[in-house]
Amino acid sequence: MYPAPREEVAYVTCTYRETCIDQPDYLATVDLNPRSPHYGQVIHRLPMPNLKDELHSSGWSAGCTCFDNVNTQRTKLILPSLISSRIYVVDVGSQCRAPRLCKTIEPVEVFWKCNKGYLNVPRSLPNGDILIANVGDPSGNSKGTFAGWTDFELKGNWENECEAPPSGYDFWYQPRHNVLISSAGMALKRAGWGFNPDDLKKGVYGRRLNVWNLSCRTLTQCFDLGEDSLPLSVKFLHNPDAAEGYVSCALSGIIYRFYKCERDNWAVEEVIRIPAKEVAGWIMPKMPGLFDLVISLDDKYLYLSNWLHGDIRQYELSRNCKPRLVGQVFVGGSILRGGPVAVCRDEELKCSPSPWWSRVYGGPSRLQLSLDGKRLYVTNSFYSTWDKQFYPNLVKEGSVMLQIDVDTEKGGLTVNKNFLVDFGKEPCGPCLAHDIHFPSGDSTSNIVA
């Protein structure tokens, strides 16, 4: 297995937006050292200087492109704001247990230099530049391009003059194949106010997977994954020579494998389909899943979180066949036994799962996997407005962060009942926790040059 130090702290993005608590978002530092007296507790909070930013995704400024060097220093964490379009740069290198804010880029600069807004996933490129995927333009219309910057100065648009994808959300790249793959998102001008079934079939939710030439910064291929499929999370395999990866489609329940087939041409194929559940007492008669995904550093397992159904799945990856389900555990969700939603027909389960713990509201959302693949961490906030719509108790009582113990030999998932970070007990009141990163490296940061 991948030789790496055990993670000792985690940085978790937290927001108060939609909670009726007039406090700024903040970056929480969580103690992950089992030998520490503060294990499983928030040991530091770095508040942002503004309100209602919606800290969502985060990423490192550099040093994330070394596969064989686990001692790479990650000293700056980038925090784009999904709603305000503000960008924060946090110094975690000076004091890893007490980060400090070192730079802020205001929305007007992002609007003026890039004509972009609603910033989401940041990643460092092999040349040291930083790329940030945007979900829309300053008015909230869909737009799937990127903001680029060098030496912590915003430079403008990353892409060269080419057709802009109609929507964007996440991206991943493989330098040795000179390719970047980006997913679609949603029009926050509409979906940002909540999920409305009337928005289906109206172009509010994305449907394309985009292939870019990394060095030329041009769009070369697009795949239509189906109307309202909403492809969100994109991950390549970690092997630097591998020309394949996976994308999860939140509303269609399909996981596609994308791969290089000839020269610089790419193809996609469906490899996992998680059927919607026929329900009563919900906003629609069929309930999709909403997924995040992560791949272990040895490329042996793929993990899915299912925010609405409430389960986390472990699939074994194989070169010559479709992923095989080898582990599954429920940690919340909308279909729990005794809840307000009744399952009328389920193609997978014979009966609804029992509540795991009365304190856990919402469903598993953002995943992060330790470098050795043995500990899977999960938070349960997806996006504050949708949290409030689908899980009002989550907004009222606050998020949690859980640890799932992983069997890396035969497969299998078990909730670690000795670990629970309760963001409902924060000093300023319950908050919503989302993205997770480790300064020692993690399975969603390490991209190989």
Side-chain angles (χ1 to χ4, degrees):
M1 186 57 194
Y2 192 82
R6 178 174 175 135
E7 64 285 356
E8 295 193 356
V9 297
Y11 303 120
V12 183
T13 57
C14 299
T15 184
Y16 276 110
R17 187 172 171 271
E18 297 289 1
T19 64
C20 297
I21 297 175
D22 199 29
Q23 291 289 330
D25 297 356
Y26 64 96
L27 183 70
T29 304
V30 178
D31 193 327
L32 300 181
N33 185 348
R35 298 181 298 276
S36 168
H38 304 294
Y39 175 61
Q41 299 177 22
V42 178
I43 57 174
H44 185 267
R45 299 163 186 87
L46 176 65
M48 300 300 110
N50 301 280
L51 297 176
K52 303 186 186 305
D53 283 315
E54 183 97 21
L55 293 185
H56 193 68
S57 297
S58 57
W60 298 106
S61 63
C64 300
T65 56
C66 299
F67 183 73
D68 55 357
N69 182 7
V70 298
N71 296 315
T72 298
Q73 296 296 310
R74 296 166 176 84
T75 60
K76 300 292 190 302
L77 190 65
I78 311 301
L79 306 179
S81 303
L82 184 62
I83 296 301
S84 71
S85 303
R86 197 172 275 110
I87 305 171
Y88 298 107
V89 181
V90 174
D91 175 13
V92 303
S94 301
Q95 290 186 323
C96 69
R97 299 173 72 87
R100 63 180 183 86
L101 184 65
C102 62
K103 185 178 181 66
T104 301
I105 297 177
E106 294 295 337
V108 64
E109 185 174 352
V110 179
F111 299 160
W112 179 255
K113 288 186 177 180
C114 305
N115 191 31
K116 292 178 171 65
Y118 301 93
L119 305 178
N120 194 25
V121 176
R123 298 195 193 282
S124 60
L125 296 177
N127 64 1
D129 289 352
I130 300 166
L131 207 57
I132 304 177
N134 64 288
V135 179
D137 65 14
S139 299
N141 301 302
S142 295
K143 188 176 184 181
T145 48
F146 308 92
W149 62 341
T150 304
D151 297 327
F152 303 110
E153 295 295 331
L154 192 63
K155 297 300 182 183
N157 295 327
W158 172 80
E159 66 279 355
N160 285 324
E161 293 295 329
C162 63
E163 174 195 1
S167 59
Y169 187 83
D170 190 12
F171 70 99
W172 198 276
Y173 60 88
Q174 274 286 39
R176 296 188 186 182
H177 294 281
N178 192 34
V179 65
L180 182 149
I181 306 286
S182 67
S183 65
M186 61 188 81
L188 287 178
K189 192 174 185 178
R190 297 288 297 274
W193 297 96
F195 177 77
N196 186 344
D198 292 339
D199 288 334
L200 297 173
K201 302 185 184 303
K202 294 182 180 178
V204 173
Y205 300 102
R207 59 190 296 169
R208 291 188 4 177
L209 187 69
N210 307 295
V211 182
W212 300 78
N213 183 302
L214 182 60
S215 59
C216 296
R217 305 181 182 184
T218 54
L219 189 64
T220 58
Q221 278 183 273
C222 297
F223 297 100
D224 189 337
L225 303 184
E227 188 172 39
D228 296 321
S229 55
L230 192 57
L232 293 181
S233 185
V234 177
K235 301 289 185 293
F236 266 102
L237 296 185
H238 293 280
N239 182 340
D241 294 317
E244 63 178 294
Y246 297 84
V247 57
S248 60
C249 295
L251 293 181
S252 68
I254 300 174
I255 311 301
Y256 289 94
R257 171 179 170 262
F258 54 85
Y259 59 97
K260 193 174 184 179
C261 51
E262 56 181 17
R263 294 189 179 181
D264 293 325
N265 291 322
W266 293 74
V268 297
E269 63 175 347
E270 177 184 326
V271 292
I272 300 171
R273 178 182 289 266
I274 299 177
K277 302 183 186 300
E278 296 184 16
V279 295
W282 200 63
I283 194 171
M284 294 194 303
K286 290 188 176 183
M287 181 189 290
L290 285 179
F291 310 115
D292 186 31
L293 72 83
V294 64
I295 297 173
S296 61
L297 281 184
D298 59 2
D299 295 331
K300 183 177 180 179
Y301 295 112
L302 177 148
Y303 299 87
L304 285 179
S305 63
N306 191 328
W307 189 62
L308 289 174
H309 296 174
D311 59 318
I312 299 172
R313 303 182 182 215
Q314 179 189 26
Y315 289 89
E316 183 180 33
L317 298 179
S318 172
R319 183 183 298 270
N320 299 316
C321 65
K322 292 183 179 181
R324 182 173 66 95
L325 182 65
V326 294
Q328 184 178 24
V329 64
F330 279 84
V331 287
S334 295
I335 62 167
L336 295 176
R337 189 179 307 166
V341 177
V343 178
C344 305
R345 183 173 182 272
D346 193 327
E347 296 181 27
E348 295 183 310
L349 301 176
K350 294 181 179 180
C351 61
S352 296
S354 299
W356 174 73
W357 195 352
S358 60
R359 173 61 191 89
V360 177
Y361 305 100
S365 180
R366 187 54 64 96
L367 299 174
Q368 188 55 269
L369 185 65
S370 61
L371 290 175
D372 63 7
K374 295 180 179 180
R375 293 166 301 282
L376 183 66
Y377 297 88
V378 57
T379 55
N380 57 343
S381 168
F382 174 70
Y383 163 60
S384 66
T385 305
W386 286 34
D387 294 346
K388 186 177 181 179
Q389 178 181 6
F390 292 112
Y391 297 114
N393 283 337
L394 169 61
V395 175
K396 179 181 177 182
E397 302 293 340
S399 286
V400 296
M401 176 176 161
L402 304 175
Q403 179 186 316
I404 311 299
D405 294 331
V406 179
D407 185 336
T408 58
E409 297 299 324
K410 300 179 180 179
L413 302 174
T414 306
V415 178
N416 186 331
K417 296 185 178 180
N418 296 318
F419 183 94
L420 184 144
V421 183
D422 189 350
F423 289 95
K425 296 181 179 179
E426 288 296 272
C428 293
C431 73
L432 301 171
H434 189 66
D435 206 19
I436 308 167
H437 280 296
F438 312 135
S440 56
D442 49 61
S443 295
T444 64
S445 296
N446 289 35
I447 298 177
V448 188

Short mmCIF file of all heavy atoms in Angstrom, two decimals, residues 9 11 27 29 44-48 59-61 73-79 87-104 149 152 439:
data_model
loop_
_atom_site.label_atom_id
_atom_site.label_comp_id
_atom_site.label_asym_id
_atom_site.label_seq_id
_atom_site.Cartn_x
_atom_site.Cartn_y
_atom_site.Cartn_z
N VAL A 9 -4.00 16.30 11.42
CA VAL A 9 -5.03 17.34 11.49
C VAL A 9 -5.77 17.38 10.16
O VAL A 9 -5.26 16.93 9.12
CB VAL A 9 -4.45 18.74 11.79
CG1 VAL A 9 -3.79 18.79 13.15
CG2 VAL A 9 -3.48 19.17 10.69
N TYR A 11 -8.31 20.14 7.78
CA TYR A 11 -8.89 21.47 7.62
C TYR A 11 -10.26 21.30 6.97
O TYR A 11 -10.38 20.69 5.90
CB TYR A 11 -7.99 22.35 6.76
CG TYR A 11 -6.59 22.49 7.32
CD1 TYR A 11 -5.48 22.08 6.60
CD2 TYR A 11 -6.39 23.02 8.60
CE1 TYR A 11 -4.20 22.20 7.12
CE2 TYR A 11 -5.11 23.13 9.13
CZ TYR A 11 -4.02 22.72 8.40
OH TYR A 11 -2.75 22.83 8.92
N LEU A 27 -12.61 28.37 8.71
CA LEU A 27 -11.87 27.14 8.47
C LEU A 27 -11.60 26.49 9.82
O LEU A 27 -10.96 27.09 10.69
CB LEU A 27 -10.55 27.43 7.76
CG LEU A 27 -9.71 26.19 7.39
CD1 LEU A 27 -10.39 25.39 6.28
CD2 LEU A 27 -8.30 26.60 6.96
N THR A 29 -9.89 23.60 12.19
CA THR A 29 -8.79 22.63 12.28
C THR A 29 -9.20 21.55 13.25
O THR A 29 -9.54 21.83 14.41
CB THR A 29 -7.50 23.31 12.77
OG1 THR A 29 -7.18 24.41 11.90
CG2 THR A 29 -6.35 22.32 12.76
N HIS A 44 -9.00 24.71 16.44
CA HIS A 44 -8.77 26.08 16.01
C HIS A 44 -9.84 26.47 15.00
O HIS A 44 -10.29 25.63 14.21
CB HIS A 44 -7.38 26.24 15.39
CG HIS A 44 -7.02 27.64 15.03
ND1 HIS A 44 -7.24 28.17 13.77
CD2 HIS A 44 -6.47 28.64 15.77
CE1 HIS A 44 -6.83 29.42 13.75
NE2 HIS A 44 -6.36 29.74 14.95
N ARG A 45 -10.21 27.74 15.03
CA ARG A 45 -11.19 28.26 14.07
C ARG A 45 -10.65 29.55 13.48
O ARG A 45 -10.28 30.46 14.24
CB ARG A 45 -12.54 28.51 14.76
CG ARG A 45 -13.15 27.25 15.35
CD ARG A 45 -14.24 27.56 16.35
NE ARG A 45 -14.70 26.32 16.99
CZ ARG A 45 -14.14 25.78 18.07
NH1 ARG A 45 -13.10 26.39 18.65
NH2 ARG A 45 -14.61 24.66 18.57
N LEU A 46 -10.59 29.62 12.16
CA LEU A 46 -10.12 30.83 11.47
C LEU A 46 -11.32 31.47 10.78
O LEU A 46 -11.72 31.04 9.69
CB LEU A 46 -9.04 30.49 10.46
CG LEU A 46 -8.54 31.66 9.59
CD1 LEU A 46 -7.83 32.70 10.46
CD2 LEU A 46 -7.63 31.16 8.48
N PRO A 47 -11.92 32.52 11.37
CA PRO A 47 -13.08 33.16 10.74
C PRO A 47 -12.66 34.03 9.56
O PRO A 47 -11.60 34.66 9.58
CB PRO A 47 -13.68 34.00 11.86
CG PRO A 47 -12.51 34.31 12.76
CD PRO A 47 -11.60 33.11 12.68
N MET A 48 -13.48 34.06 8.53
CA MET A 48 -13.26 34.93 7.40
C MET A 48 -13.77 36.34 7.75
O MET A 48 -14.61 36.50 8.63
CB MET A 48 -13.96 34.40 6.16
CG MET A 48 -13.51 33.00 5.73
SD MET A 48 -11.75 32.87 5.32
CE MET A 48 -11.15 31.88 6.69
N GLY A 59 -8.51 23.79 -1.79
CA GLY A 59 -7.41 23.09 -2.45
C GLY A 59 -6.09 23.75 -2.16
O GLY A 59 -6.02 24.90 -1.71
N TRP A 60 -5.02 23.03 -2.45
CA TRP A 60 -3.67 23.51 -2.14
C TRP A 60 -3.12 24.38 -3.25
O TRP A 60 -3.44 24.21 -4.43
CB TRP A 60 -2.74 22.33 -1.89
CG TRP A 60 -3.17 21.51 -0.72
CD1 TRP A 60 -3.76 20.27 -0.74
CD2 TRP A 60 -3.10 21.87 0.66
NE1 TRP A 60 -4.04 19.84 0.53
CE2 TRP A 60 -3.65 20.81 1.41
CE3 TRP A 60 -2.62 23.00 1.33
CZ2 TRP A 60 -3.72 20.84 2.80
CZ3 TRP A 60 -2.70 23.04 2.72
CH2 TRP A 60 -3.24 21.97 3.43
N SER A 61 -2.24 25.30 -2.87
CA SER A 61 -1.67 26.24 -3.83
C SER A 61 -0.57 25.61 -4.66
O SER A 61 -0.31 26.04 -5.79
CB SER A 61 -1.11 27.46 -3.11
OG SER A 61 -0.04 27.07 -2.26
N GLN A 73 5.65 19.70 1.09
CA GLN A 73 5.07 20.67 2.00
C GLN A 73 3.90 21.39 1.33
O GLN A 73 4.02 21.90 0.22
CB GLN A 73 6.13 21.69 2.43
CG GLN A 73 7.26 21.08 3.23
CD GLN A 73 6.78 20.51 4.55
OE1 GLN A 73 6.07 21.17 5.31
NE2 GLN A 73 7.18 19.28 4.83
N ARG A 74 2.79 21.41 2.02
CA ARG A 74 1.62 22.14 1.55
C ARG A 74 1.37 23.27 2.53
O ARG A 74 0.91 23.06 3.63
CB ARG A 74 0.42 21.20 1.45
CG ARG A 74 0.64 20.10 0.42
CD ARG A 74 -0.38 18.97 0.56
NE ARG A 74 -0.20 17.99 -0.50
CZ ARG A 74 0.68 16.99 -0.46
NH1 ARG A 74 1.45 16.86 0.61
NH2 ARG A 74 0.79 16.14 -1.45
N THR A 75 1.69 24.48 2.12
CA THR A 75 1.72 25.60 3.07
C THR A 75 0.59 26.60 2.88
O THR A 75 0.33 27.39 3.78
CB THR A 75 3.05 26.36 2.96
OG1 THR A 75 3.20 26.87 1.62
CG2 THR A 75 4.23 25.41 3.26
N LYS A 76 -0.07 26.61 1.73
CA LYS A 76 -1.15 27.56 1.47
C LYS A 76 -2.40 26.80 1.00
O LYS A 76 -2.34 25.99 0.08
CB LYS A 76 -0.74 28.57 0.39
CG LYS A 76 0.48 29.42 0.74
CD LYS A 76 0.20 30.37 1.88
CE LYS A 76 1.33 31.38 2.06
NZ LYS A 76 2.66 30.79 2.29
N LEU A 77 -3.51 27.09 1.66
CA LEU A 77 -4.79 26.49 1.30
C LEU A 77 -5.66 27.57 0.66
O LEU A 77 -5.81 28.67 1.21
CB LEU A 77 -5.47 25.93 2.55
CG LEU A 77 -6.71 25.05 2.33
CD1 LEU A 77 -6.34 23.77 1.58
CD2 LEU A 77 -7.36 24.70 3.67
N ILE A 78 -6.22 27.24 -0.50
CA ILE A 78 -7.06 28.18 -1.24
C ILE A 78 -8.53 27.91 -0.93
O ILE A 78 -8.99 26.78 -1.04
CB ILE A 78 -6.81 28.04 -2.76
CG1 ILE A 78 -5.32 28.05 -3.08
CG2 ILE A 78 -7.53 29.15 -3.52
CD1 ILE A 78 -4.59 29.27 -2.63
N LEU A 79 -9.24 28.96 -0.54
CA LEU A 79 -10.66 28.84 -0.20
C LEU A 79 -11.49 29.74 -1.11
O LEU A 79 -11.71 30.92 -0.80
CB LEU A 79 -10.88 29.24 1.27
CG LEU A 79 -10.07 28.54 2.35
CD1 LEU A 79 -10.43 29.09 3.72
CD2 LEU A 79 -10.30 27.04 2.30
N ILE A 87 -12.05 35.02 -2.91
CA ILE A 87 -11.03 34.00 -2.76
C ILE A 87 -10.16 34.33 -1.56
O ILE A 87 -9.63 35.44 -1.45
CB ILE A 87 -10.13 33.89 -4.01
CG1 ILE A 87 -10.97 33.65 -5.27
CG2 ILE A 87 -9.11 32.76 -3.85
CD1 ILE A 87 -10.18 33.74 -6.57
N TYR A 88 -10.01 33.37 -0.66
CA TYR A 88 -9.14 33.53 0.50
C TYR A 88 -7.93 32.61 0.36
O TYR A 88 -8.05 31.48 -0.11
CB TYR A 88 -9.87 33.18 1.80
CG TYR A 88 -11.06 34.06 2.10
CD1 TYR A 88 -12.36 33.57 1.96
CD2 TYR A 88 -10.90 35.37 2.54
CE1 TYR A 88 -13.46 34.36 2.25
CE2 TYR A 88 -11.99 36.17 2.83
CZ TYR A 88 -13.27 35.67 2.68
OH TYR A 88 -14.36 36.45 2.96
N VAL A 89 -6.77 33.11 0.79
CA VAL A 89 -5.55 32.31 0.85
C VAL A 89 -5.15 32.18 2.32
O VAL A 89 -5.00 33.18 3.02
CB VAL A 89 -4.40 32.93 0.05
CG1 VAL A 89 -3.16 32.05 0.11
CG2 VAL A 89 -4.83 33.15 -1.40
N VAL A 90 -5.02 30.94 2.79
CA VAL A 90 -4.74 30.68 4.19
C VAL A 90 -3.36 30.06 4.33
O VAL A 90 -3.02 29.09 3.64
CB VAL A 90 -5.81 29.73 4.79
CG1 VAL A 90 -5.45 29.35 6.22
CG2 VAL A 90 -7.19 30.39 4.74
N ASP A 91 -2.57 30.63 5.22
CA ASP A 91 -1.23 30.10 5.54
C ASP A 91 -1.37 29.02 6.60
O ASP A 91 -1.75 29.29 7.74
CB ASP A 91 -0.36 31.24 6.04
CG ASP A 91 1.02 30.77 6.52
OD1 ASP A 91 1.37 29.61 6.23
OD2 ASP A 91 1.72 31.56 7.18
N VAL A 92 -1.10 27.77 6.20
CA VAL A 92 -1.12 26.66 7.17
C VAL A 92 0.29 26.17 7.45
O VAL A 92 0.48 25.25 8.25
CB VAL A 92 -2.00 25.49 6.66
CG1 VAL A 92 -3.41 25.96 6.38
CG2 VAL A 92 -1.39 24.84 5.43
N GLY A 93 1.28 26.75 6.78
CA GLY A 93 2.65 26.29 6.92
C GLY A 93 3.34 26.83 8.16
O GLY A 93 4.17 26.15 8.76
N SER A 94 3.02 28.07 8.53
CA SER A 94 3.68 28.68 9.70
C SER A 94 3.29 27.97 10.98
O SER A 94 4.14 27.65 11.81
CB SER A 94 3.32 30.17 9.78
OG SER A 94 3.72 30.85 8.62
N GLN A 95 1.99 27.72 11.14
CA GLN A 95 1.48 26.98 12.29
C GLN A 95 0.34 26.10 11.80
O GLN A 95 -0.78 26.58 11.61
CB GLN A 95 0.98 27.92 13.40
CG GLN A 95 2.08 28.68 14.12
CD GLN A 95 1.53 29.48 15.29
OE1 GLN A 95 0.44 30.03 15.24
NE2 GLN A 95 2.29 29.52 16.37
N CYS A 96 0.62 24.82 11.61
CA CYS A 96 -0.37 23.95 10.99
C CYS A 96 -1.61 23.76 11.85
O CYS A 96 -2.70 23.46 11.35
CB CYS A 96 0.24 22.59 10.63
SG CYS A 96 0.67 21.57 12.05
N ARG A 97 -1.49 23.94 13.17
CA ARG A 97 -2.62 23.78 14.06
C ARG A 97 -3.35 25.09 14.34
O ARG A 97 -4.36 25.10 15.04
CB ARG A 97 -2.17 23.13 15.38
CG ARG A 97 -1.56 21.74 15.17
CD ARG A 97 -0.96 21.19 16.45
NE ARG A 97 -1.99 20.79 17.41
CZ ARG A 97 -2.56 19.59 17.41
NH1 ARG A 97 -2.22 18.68 16.50
NH2 ARG A 97 -3.47 19.29 18.31
N ALA A 98 -2.83 26.19 13.79
CA ALA A 98 -3.47 27.50 13.96
C ALA A 98 -3.26 28.33 12.70
O ALA A 98 -2.47 29.27 12.67
CB ALA A 98 -2.90 28.21 15.18
N PRO A 99 -3.92 27.97 11.60
CA PRO A 99 -3.74 28.70 10.33
C PRO A 99 -4.13 30.17 10.46
O PRO A 99 -4.90 30.56 11.35
CB PRO A 99 -4.69 27.96 9.38
CG PRO A 99 -4.95 26.64 10.00
CD PRO A 99 -4.89 26.87 11.48
N ARG A 100 -3.60 30.98 9.52
CA ARG A 100 -3.95 32.40 9.52
C ARG A 100 -4.25 32.84 8.09
O ARG A 100 -3.71 32.30 7.12
CB ARG A 100 -2.81 33.24 10.10
CG ARG A 100 -1.51 33.17 9.30
CD ARG A 100 -0.42 34.02 9.92
NE ARG A 100 0.80 34.01 9.11
CZ ARG A 100 1.03 34.83 8.08
NH1 ARG A 100 0.12 35.75 7.76
NH2 ARG A 100 2.15 34.76 7.39
N LEU A 101 -5.08 33.84 7.96
CA LEU A 101 -5.43 34.39 6.66
C LEU A 101 -4.31 35.30 6.18
O LEU A 101 -3.85 36.18 6.92
CB LEU A 101 -6.74 35.18 6.77
CG LEU A 101 -7.33 35.76 5.47
CD1 LEU A 101 -7.73 34.65 4.52
CD2 LEU A 101 -8.54 36.64 5.79
N CYS A 102 -3.84 35.09 4.94
CA CYS A 102 -2.74 35.91 4.44
C CYS A 102 -3.08 36.72 3.20
O CYS A 102 -2.32 37.61 2.83
CB CYS A 102 -1.50 35.04 4.20
SG CYS A 102 -1.70 33.74 2.96
N LYS A 103 -4.21 36.41 2.53
CA LYS A 103 -4.56 37.20 1.35
C LYS A 103 -6.05 37.02 1.04
O LYS A 103 -6.61 35.94 1.26
CB LYS A 103 -3.73 36.77 0.13
CG LYS A 103 -3.95 37.64 -1.12
CD LYS A 103 -3.06 37.18 -2.25
CE LYS A 103 -3.25 38.04 -3.50
NZ LYS A 103 -2.79 39.42 -3.32
N THR A 104 -6.67 38.09 0.51
CA THR A 104 -8.05 38.03 0.06
C THR A 104 -8.15 38.66 -1.32
O THR A 104 -7.60 39.75 -1.55
CB THR A 104 -8.98 38.79 1.04
OG1 THR A 104 -8.88 38.22 2.34
CG2 THR A 104 -10.43 38.71 0.56
N TRP A 149 -4.41 31.89 -11.90
CA TRP A 149 -3.57 32.87 -11.22
C TRP A 149 -2.19 32.32 -10.97
O TRP A 149 -1.97 31.12 -10.95
CB TRP A 149 -4.23 33.39 -9.96
CG TRP A 149 -4.52 32.40 -8.87
CD1 TRP A 149 -4.61 31.04 -8.96
CD2 TRP A 149 -4.78 32.70 -7.51
NE1 TRP A 149 -4.91 30.49 -7.75
CE2 TRP A 149 -5.01 31.49 -6.84
CE3 TRP A 149 -4.84 33.90 -6.79
CZ2 TRP A 149 -5.30 31.43 -5.48
CZ3 TRP A 149 -5.13 33.83 -5.43
CH2 TRP A 149 -5.36 32.61 -4.80
N PHE A 152 -0.19 33.99 -6.50
CA PHE A 152 -1.30 34.56 -5.72
C PHE A 152 -1.83 35.87 -6.30
O PHE A 152 -2.42 36.67 -5.59
CB PHE A 152 -0.90 34.74 -4.26
CG PHE A 152 -0.44 33.47 -3.62
CD1 PHE A 152 0.89 33.29 -3.28
CD2 PHE A 152 -1.32 32.43 -3.40
CE1 PHE A 152 1.33 32.09 -2.72
CE2 PHE A 152 -0.88 31.23 -2.83
CZ PHE A 152 0.44 31.06 -2.49
N PRO A 439 -2.91 18.37 5.59
CA PRO A 439 -1.65 18.97 5.13
C PRO A 439 -0.61 17.95 4.71
O PRO A 439 0.32 18.27 3.95
CB PRO A 439 -1.18 19.77 6.37
CG PRO A 439 -1.87 19.13 7.52
CD PRO A 439 -3.19 18.65 7.00
#
